[in-house]
Amino acid sequence: MKGSFLTSGVTLMLAAIVCGLLLGYWFPDFALHMKPLSDGFVRLIGMTIGLIIFVLVVSGISHMQSGVKTAKVGGKALLYFETMTLVSLLVGMFFALLLRPGDGLPSALNSIHFGPLPATVERAQHAAIDKGQYVDIVHFLLESIPTTFFGAFTQQGNTLQVLLIAVLFGIALVRTGERGAPLREMIDALAQVLFRIIEMILKLAPLAAFGAIAFTVGTYGLGAVLPLLKLVGVIYLASLLFIAVVLGTIARLAGVNLLRLLLYVKEEILLVLFTVSSVAALPGLIVKMEKLGCSPEVVRLVLPTGYTFNLNGSAIYLSMAVLFLAQAEQIELQSMQLLTLLVVAMLTSKGSTAITGSAFVTLAATLSVLHVVPVGAIGLLLGVERLMKCRSLTNMIGNCVACLAIAHWEKAIDRDALRRELGS
C-alpha cells in the first residue's frame, strides 16, 4: 500500500508542484529553462486532438443511435443529457464571471503557448478583440467547412472542421445499418489505441507540471500561483453547489434522497476519488442501480452513454477554464463570444470521456476552435490539473441521478426495491 501511494499519479503531481515552487522561488534564473518541459507536453497532447475528437464523436453518435433502435428511452436520455450539459456549462460560466479566478495573473499566458497561431487566424483574433467583437459569423461558418476531407486534420488550429466531419460521418455510419458494423468496431478499436497513447503521454504530466510551475514562479513570483489555487477552489465550490442544488432537486423529483443515494454508492465514490476516473466505478454502479429497482434496459443504456454524453463535472470545468484563461490574459469576452463558447462546448464536451486526463484534451480542442486564447495556454493549468477530483466525482454522481431520473420518467423503477435498498 505504501509503495502504491508513493507512486500514485496524485502524489507524483503534488511532489512535482512542490519541487517546481521551490526551484522557481530559490533559483528563478535556472527555473526559466524548465519551460520546454511543459511546451513539449502540450505539443504531445496537441498532436492527438483532431483524431481523438473525430473518433470519439463518431463513436458516440453511432453507438447512441444503434442502442436506441426500438426504445424511446434513448430520445429522453439524449434530451436529458443535452439539457444537463447546457446547465453545467452555464454554472461554470456563472461562477467564473462572478468570482473571476483568473484575475491577478496578467500577461502570463503569452510566454507559455507552444507556438504561434496561423497568421490569418491570429490577425482575425486580435482584430476582433481590438474592436470588442467576435469574428464575423459568416466568416466563422465558412471557416468551419474544410476544403478537403483530410485537410481538416492537417490544418492547425481549426478543430471545428474536424467536428463537422465527425458529425456527418457518425450520422452516415448510423444510416448504413449492419453494413457499417465492421467500421464501427474499427473506430472503437482506434479509440482504445488513442487512449493508450494518451495514457503514455499523461505519465509525463508531473514532469510537465514541474516545468510549468517552476517557469511561472521563476518569472512572476509566488503570486502567480494564487489564481491557480483560486481556480481550484472555485471549481470545487461550483461542483458542490451543482450537486446539492441541481442534482439534489432532480433526485428529489425522482423520489430519491440525494444524501441516501451518495451513502449507498460510497464505495464507488471512494474508487473514483483514488483513481481520478469516474469510469472506474461503472461496473459497480450498473449493479447497484439495478438493485435500486431501475429497469436493466434503462440502466444499461443510460449509464454507459452518460459517460460520454453526460459529464457534468467536466462541463463545469470546461467553461470555467476557458474563462479563467481569458481573464488571466485580460481578455473580456463579449456576449457573442460567450454564446459561441456554449455552442462549441456543447459539441466538444462530447469528446470529454470519463478517462483520466480527457477533460484536459477537450479543453485544448475547445480553445483551438474558439481562437480566443492560444491553445498552449493550457500549460498554465498543468500544476493543478490532478487536484480537480471534483470533476470525476460530479460526473459519477450526475450519471447516477440521470439513471434514476430517466427510470422515473419512463416509470421503469421498482419503488419497493428503492425503499428497501436506501432504507427510506
Side-chain angles (χ1 to χ4, degrees):
M1 179 64 69
K2 183 178 179 181
S4 62
F5 172 76
L6 291 176
T7 57
S8 68
V10 176
T11 306
L12 291 174
M13 184 64 72
L14 290 174
I17 292 172
V18 172
C19 291
L21 287 170
L22 294 175
L23 181 64
Y25 182 76
W26 292 107
F27 304 99
D29 293 335
F30 182 71
L32 298 181
H33 298 290
M34 298 297 105
K35 181 174 179 285
L37 294 177
S38 60
D39 287 351
F41 180 82
V42 173
R43 279 181 177 268
L44 288 172
I45 291 290
M47 74 179 183
T48 63
I49 289 175
L51 190 55
I52 284 179
I53 294 301
F54 173 80
V55 168
L56 289 177
V57 172
V58 170
S59 178
I61 291 176
S62 62
H63 282 290
M64 188 66 174
Q65 296 295 330
S66 61
V68 184
K69 289 180 180 178
T70 59
K72 58 182 180 180
V73 179
K76 292 182 177 180
L78 185 59
L79 176 61
Y80 177 92
F81 293 161
E82 293 304 304
T83 302
M84 291 304 295
T85 298
L86 178 60
V87 171
S88 303
L89 291 169
L90 287 172
V91 167
M93 291 178 62
F94 172 78
F95 278 94
L97 293 173
L98 177 67
L99 301 178
R100 302 190 63 83
D103 287 350
L105 194 60
S107 303
L109 304 186
N110 289 327
S111 56
I112 293 178
H113 69 84
F114 58 76
L117 293 172
T120 54
V121 175
E122 194 172 39
R123 284 196 299 270
Q125 175 190 356
H126 288 299
I129 294 172
D130 293 339
K131 295 177 182 177
Q133 59 188 16
Y134 194 53
V135 180
D136 180 77
I137 187 64
V138 175
H139 175 75
F140 178 78
L141 292 175
L142 288 176
E143 286 296 311
S144 69
I145 304 174
T147 54
T148 64
F149 186 92
F150 294 103
F153 297 92
T154 58
Q155 181 176 342
Q156 181 185 6
N158 204 336
T159 314
L160 190 59
Q161 295 181 358
V162 177
L163 288 172
L164 175 62
I165 291 177
V167 170
L168 295 176
F169 196 97
I171 295 173
L173 187 57
V174 169
R175 300 184 67 176
T176 60
E178 291 302 319
R179 290 177 296 175
L183 185 53
R184 278 194 293 270
E185 294 177 0
M186 186 183 301
I187 292 289
D188 291 340
L190 180 58
Q192 294 303 314
V193 172
L194 290 172
F195 280 134
R196 298 289 86 78
I197 293 175
I198 290 296
E199 286 178 4
M200 290 187 288
I201 294 174
L202 288 175
K203 292 183 184 299
L204 300 174
L207 188 62
F210 165 76
I213 290 294
F215 175 79
T216 302
V217 174
T219 305
Y220 304 101
L222 287 174
V225 181
L226 296 180
L228 296 178
L229 298 179
K230 183 179 179 182
L231 171 66
V232 174
V234 172
I235 287 182
Y236 270 87
L237 175 63
S239 299
L240 180 62
L241 291 178
F242 177 84
I243 292 172
V245 178
V246 179
L247 296 183
T249 300
I250 295 173
R252 176 60 64 184
L253 292 175
V256 178
N257 182 287
L258 181 62
L259 181 58
R260 290 181 181 272
L261 175 63
L262 296 181
L263 292 174
Y264 183 69
V265 297
K266 58 182 180 297
E267 291 84 1
E268 285 70 28
I269 289 177
L270 290 175
L271 179 62
V272 171
L273 187 63
F274 288 109
T275 61
V276 204
S277 174
S278 53
V279 76
L282 180 57
L285 289 179
I286 290 177
V287 173
K288 287 193 172 181
M289 290 297 105
E290 291 183 1
K291 288 179 67 177
L292 277 180
C294 297
S295 166
E297 291 77 14
V298 173
V299 173
R300 295 172 188 181
L301 170 66
V302 173
L303 278 183
T305 54
Y307 275 88
T308 295
F309 287 85
N310 188 48
L311 297 177
N312 306 136
S314 298
I316 292 173
Y317 163 79
L318 182 60
S319 58
M320 189 177 294
V322 172
L323 289 175
F324 168 82
L325 294 175
Q327 290 165 5
E329 188 70 348
Q330 297 184 329
I331 298 174
E332 292 297 329
L333 301 187
Q334 306 301 313
S335 57
M336 185 61 184
Q337 291 173 292
L338 294 174
L339 180 61
T340 304
L341 169 59
L342 280 178
V343 173
V344 171
M346 287 287 289
L347 287 174
T348 57
S349 62
K350 300 302 177 285
S352 184
T353 68
I355 303 298
T356 304
S358 61
F360 193 71
V361 178
T362 305
L363 174 60
T366 305
L367 290 177
S368 69
V369 174
L370 292 174
H371 301 314
V372 174
V373 180
V375 178
I378 59 176
L380 190 66
L381 302 177
L382 282 172
V384 294
E385 177 67 18
R386 289 296 185 96
L387 300 180
M388 302 181 196
K389 295 184 179 182
C390 55
R391 292 178 309 195
S392 300
L393 291 173
T394 307
N395 291 339
M396 191 210 81
I397 296 169
N399 279 312
C400 289
V401 173
C403 190
L404 289 166
I406 295 172
H408 172 72
W409 193 357
E410 275 292 296
K411 297 181 174 58
I413 187 170
D414 185 342
R415 291 290 169 182
D416 292 331
L418 183 66
R419 285 190 290 269
R420 182 175 62 251
E421 292 295 319
L422 294 185
S424 58

